[in-house]
Amino acid sequence: MSPQIDTHGAQAVLAPPGTADLVAASPSAMNDLVQQLREMSLRGLSRMYSQRDRLFVFRLRRTPGGIVQEGLSPRYTAITLIGLAALPEKTVGTVLGGDSRHDVCARILEDAASSNSLGDVALSLFAAGLVGHENLDPAVTRLAALQPLEGAHPVVEVAWLLTALSEVPSANREHLRDHVAERLMSTFHPGSKLFPHTMGRAGGARSHVSCFADLIYPIQALAKYAAATGSQRALDIASACATRLCDLQGAGGQWWWHYDYRSGRVIEEYPVYAIHQDAMGPMGLRALVEAGGPDFSHHIHRGLMWLGAAPELNGGSLIDKQADLVWRKVCRREPRKAVRYLQATASRIHPAGRIPAVDFIFPARRIDFEDRPYHLGWLLYAWSGWTGRLSSMSPERSQ
């Protein structure tokens, strides 16, 4: 089959260099895969750091001329610091070219002091707290100005804030933490067991559409909050959402992309992102079990199996040993996200409405040849404290 050209100008193939040989229905194979991914993440991050700017780049992208750096991202830098926070200083120094976590943290706190993004400020506070930076005031002051308890905010960003406030304890912020938790829990739909994309905003044509991030970050945040405070309500809501999300997991272990906030159904499956399979999914579900919630290790296992050998790629993988990177996603061959918008419109008219034959007309066979530092940062954070064994990882286990 002739290779197709993806929207970023790089070649998309059905079966890139993968790790299908590593994937077997056994805990040891999954543990080996996690270890590989952790090691690749450290090497990848060292290629994504700009020492001149004390920031991580927005992405690495494969082009006909080779793999290139593009942009800079304070947000991705904060997430990467979160992932690096628990690692030995020597390891971190290798990634940062001799700079320290403190140096990079000071840089993102400078940006946080004037940022208009609640999410960026929350992540900067989270990173600074984990790194042990002595001055959190710029982020805390900016939080107050952004009014997280009022107005419209993305659910993801409010969830980041709750995780930060739960993981970085401070007596003078407990009041804010509790009110943020209450606001996040108030958006939970008891029927669908899902969270919306945005809180505090009137409905629009796509207001019923939630994405995977809108679900897994609140699961993580409420689990962290329950662990910090003993809130049974928070744990119950996080557990209910996780149960629904795992019930909807694809037969091949895929974490699907778009969901109907009203009905709890999948609206559109693709893209399937590598970060969901090896980082965000495990991060949220592991936080839940650590807080005393249900154990979804089997679903983590299935997600990792997909990353190692994706059926959409005829058993190929987004893990590219030759490039020493994990490519971003498997997506449809479609013009400008057409299927997502069509499915959102059809489901808006009726919850069961879908555009037929999209898998045949727009098959999910394209690879997005880029890798972003936040993927690798969340991966390191998701598996921090990991000792080489994933409890309850037998594929026979079911919920």
Coordinates of all heavy atoms in Angstrom, one line a residue, residues 12-16 306-307 309-319 329-331 364-367:
A12 N 2.3 9.1 6.5 CA 1.6 8.2 7.5 C 1.6 6.8 6.9 O 1.4 6.6 5.7 CB 0.1 8.6 7.6
V13 N 1.9 5.8 7.7 CA 2.0 4.4 7.3 C 1.2 3.6 8.1 O 0.8 3.9 9.2 CB 3.5 4.0 7.4 CG1 4.4 4.7 6.4 CG2 4.0 4.1 8.8
L14 N 0.8 2.4 7.6 CA 0.0 1.5 8.4 C 0.7 0.8 9.5 O 0.1 0.5 10.5 CB -0.6 0.4 7.4 CG -1.8 0.9 6.6 CD1 -2.3 -0.3 5.7 CD2 -2.9 1.4 7.4
A15 N 2.0 0.6 9.4 CA 2.7 -0.2 10.4 C 4.1 0.4 10.6 O 5.0 -0.1 10.0 CB 2.8 -1.6 10.1
P16 N 4.2 1.4 11.5 CA 5.5 2.0 11.7 C 6.3 1.0 12.6 O 5.8 0.1 13.1 CB 5.2 3.3 12.5 CG 3.9 3.0 13.2 CD 3.2 2.1 12.3
W306 N -3.0 -1.7 23.6 CA -3.3 -1.0 22.4 C -2.1 -0.2 21.9 O -1.8 -0.2 20.7 CB -4.5 0.0 22.6 CG -4.8 0.7 21.3 CD1 -5.7 0.3 20.3 CD2 -4.2 2.0 20.8 NE1 -5.7 1.2 19.3 CE2 -4.8 2.2 19.6 CE3 -3.3 2.8 21.4 CZ2 -4.5 3.4 18.8 CZ3 -3.0 4.0 20.6 CH2 -3.5 4.2 19.4
L307 N -1.4 0.5 22.8 CA -0.3 1.3 22.5 C 0.8 0.5 21.9 O 1.5 0.9 21.0 CB 0.2 2.1 23.7 CG 1.4 3.1 23.4 CD1 0.9 4.2 22.4 CD2 1.9 3.8 24.6
A309 N 0.4 -2.5 20.3 CA 0.0 -3.1 19.1 C -1.4 -2.7 18.7 O -2.4 -3.3 19.2 CB 0.1 -4.6 19.2
A310 N -1.6 -1.6 17.9 CA -2.9 -1.1 17.6 C -3.5 -1.8 16.5 O -2.9 -1.9 15.4 CB -2.7 0.4 17.3
P311 N -4.8 -2.3 16.6 CA -5.4 -2.9 15.5 C -5.6 -2.0 14.3 O -5.6 -2.4 13.1 CB -6.8 -3.3 16.1 CG -6.9 -2.6 17.3 CD -5.6 -2.3 17.8
E312 N -5.8 -0.7 14.5 CA -5.9 0.3 13.4 C -4.6 0.3 12.6 O -4.7 0.7 11.4 CB -6.2 1.7 14.0 CG -7.5 1.9 14.7 CD -7.4 1.5 16.2 OE1 -6.4 0.9 16.6 OE2 -8.4 1.8 16.9
L313 N -3.5 -0.1 13.1 CA -2.2 -0.1 12.4 C -1.8 -1.5 12.1 O -0.6 -1.7 11.9 CB -1.2 0.6 13.3 CG -1.5 2.1 13.7 CD1 -0.4 2.6 14.6 CD2 -1.7 3.0 12.5
N314 N -2.7 -2.4 12.0 CA -2.4 -3.8 11.7 C -1.3 -4.3 12.6 O -0.4 -5.1 12.3 CB -1.9 -4.0 10.2 CG -3.0 -3.7 9.2 OD1 -4.2 -3.7 9.6 ND2 -2.7 -3.5 8.0
G315 N -1.5 -4.0 13.9 CA -0.5 -4.5 14.9 C 0.7 -3.6 15.1 O 1.6 -3.9 15.9
G316 N 0.8 -2.5 14.3 CA 1.9 -1.6 14.5 C 1.7 -0.7 15.7 O 0.7 -0.9 16.5
S317 N 2.6 0.2 16.0 CA 2.6 1.0 17.2 C 3.0 2.4 17.0 O 3.7 2.7 16.1 CB 3.6 0.3 18.2 OG 3.7 1.1 19.4
L318 N 2.5 3.3 17.9 CA 2.9 4.7 17.9 C 4.3 4.8 18.5 O 4.9 5.9 18.5 CB 1.9 5.5 18.6 CG 0.5 5.7 17.9 CD1 -0.4 6.5 18.8 CD2 0.6 6.2 16.5
I319 N 4.8 3.8 19.2 CA 6.1 3.8 19.8 C 7.1 3.5 18.7 O 7.1 2.4 18.1 CB 6.2 2.7 20.9 CG1 5.2 2.9 22.0 CG2 7.6 2.8 21.5 CD1 5.0 1.8 23.0
K329 N -0.8 10.4 17.9 CA -2.2 9.8 17.8 C -2.4 9.0 16.5 O -1.7 9.2 15.5 CB -3.3 10.9 17.9 CG -3.3 11.9 16.8 CD -4.4 12.9 17.0 CE -4.5 14.0 15.9 NZ -3.5 15.0 16.0
V330 N -3.4 8.2 16.5 CA -4.0 7.6 15.3 C -5.3 8.3 15.0 O -6.2 8.4 15.9 CB -4.3 6.1 15.5 CG1 -5.0 5.5 14.3 CG2 -2.9 5.3 15.7
C331 N -5.5 8.8 13.8 CA -6.7 9.6 13.5 C -7.2 9.2 12.1 O -6.7 8.3 11.4 CB -6.3 11.1 13.5 SG -4.8 11.5 12.5
A364 N -9.6 5.1 10.3 CA -8.6 5.6 11.2 C -7.3 4.9 11.0 O -7.0 3.9 11.6 CB -9.1 5.4 12.6
R365 N -6.5 5.4 10.1 CA -5.2 4.8 9.7 C -4.1 5.8 9.6 O -3.0 5.4 9.3 CB -5.4 4.1 8.3 CG -6.3 2.9 8.3 CD -6.4 2.3 7.0 NE -7.3 1.1 6.9 CZ -7.6 0.5 5.8 NH1 -7.1 0.9 4.7 NH2 -8.4 -0.6 5.9
R366 N -4.3 7.0 9.9 CA -3.3 8.0 9.8 C -2.6 8.2 11.2 O -3.2 8.2 12.2 CB -3.9 9.3 9.4 CG -2.9 10.5 9.4 CD -3.6 11.8 8.8 NE -3.8 11.6 7.4 CZ -4.7 12.4 6.7 NH1 -5.5 13.2 7.3 NH2 -4.8 12.2 5.4
I367 N -1.3 8.4 11.1 CA -0.5 8.7 12.3 C -0.1 10.2 12.3 O 0.3 10.7 11.2 CB 0.8 7.8 12.3 CG1 0.4 6.4 12.4 CG2 1.7 8.2 13.5 CD1 1.6 5.4 12.2

